Amino acid sequence: RFHLDSVPPGIYRIELLTDSMAPLGIADAEQEVSVRAGDESSLTLRADRLDGLLTRMCGGRQLPTQRTALRVVLIDEATSRPDNGTALRLWWTEYVRERGVNRVVQQQLDATTATDGSVVFCGLPVDLPLDLGLALGRDRAQRLETLRIPSRFPTARTLKR
């Protein structure tokens, strides 16, 4: 429980951020509150369920069942600063059943790191090997890491290069 006094009138965004959610780049809960001069306000924050969490991580996009998200932060090893503007690629192999036939499908997502060195990949399969690397053009990549997201709960990785 917190009590704040002497807050000037205005509209504020309140966020609850815990150590478990900070690496994912999102708050556990968030809400806007309007403060008027001389009024008292109370606020109850509730954390999202998993679907809401994934939707917020993925910019409002709802993910299908058995899909998850990964947030990557890329750090320049020489300067220890965020590496922004770097093209990353995530690729994997899935086995898809269509019209009674199993097919092998190669999947790939490309994204560029933001000013804080981060990028979020959404719609990833659970419990399959995922290769993460630097995109070196349309058909090439330099693998940095192979990872597996064991459950639907999103994962965060910090990598140095």
Side-chain angles (χ1 to χ4, degrees):
R1 211 177 248 278
F2 296 94
H3 176 81
L4 305 173
D5 59 3
S6 304
V7 176
I11 298 174
Y12 297 90
R13 179 162 213 72
I14 308 297
E15 293 183 345
L16 171 66
L17 186 62
T18 61
D19 291 342
S20 63
M21 300 304 281
L24 299 175
I26 57 171
D28 295 70
E30 55 190 10
Q31 188 174 334
E32 272 191 7
V33 63
S34 179
V35 176
R36 290 182 285 208
D39 281 358
E40 278 191 22
S41 297
S42 68
L43 177 67
T44 301
L45 293 173
R46 286 190 172 72
D48 276 337
R49 291 192 168 146
L50 182 56
D51 285 335
L53 171 72
L54 287 166
T55 299
R56 281 194 296 128
M57 260 186 95
C58 295
R61 187 175 123 214
Q62 289 186 314
L63 300 183
T65 305
Q66 294 306 309
R67 295 292 169 160
T68 190
L70 168 68
R71 181 175 188 254
V72 176
V73 177
L74 192 61
I75 303 293
D76 183 319
E77 197 164 23
T79 64
S80 296
R81 298 179 58 93
D83 194 346
N84 71 331
T86 300
L88 294 179
R89 178 168 293 149
L90 193 67
W91 67 97
W92 66 96
T93 302
E94 282 189 77
Y95 302 93
V96 178
R97 186 165 182 85
E98 291 178 350
R99 299 183 196 147
V101 177
N102 289 330
R103 289 189 324 122
V104 176
V105 179
Q106 302 293 324
Q107 303 282 8
Q108 155 181 322
L109 293 174
D110 290 339
T112 303
T113 58
T115 56
D116 65 353
S118 74
V119 65
V120 176
F121 293 99
C122 294
L124 307 177
V126 171
D127 206 27
L128 281 180
L130 307 170
D131 290 312
L132 174 64
L134 300 173
L136 303 175
R138 192 171 157 209
D139 298 323
R140 292 187 28 217
Q142 176 188 346
R143 181 181 292 119
L144 297 173
E145 178 180 7
T146 298
L147 58 118
R148 186 183 293 258
I149 303 173
S151 71
R152 195 151 184 250
F153 195 81
T155 298
R157 286 281 199 278
T158 299
L159 300 175
K160 292 185 177 180
R161 77 165 195 120

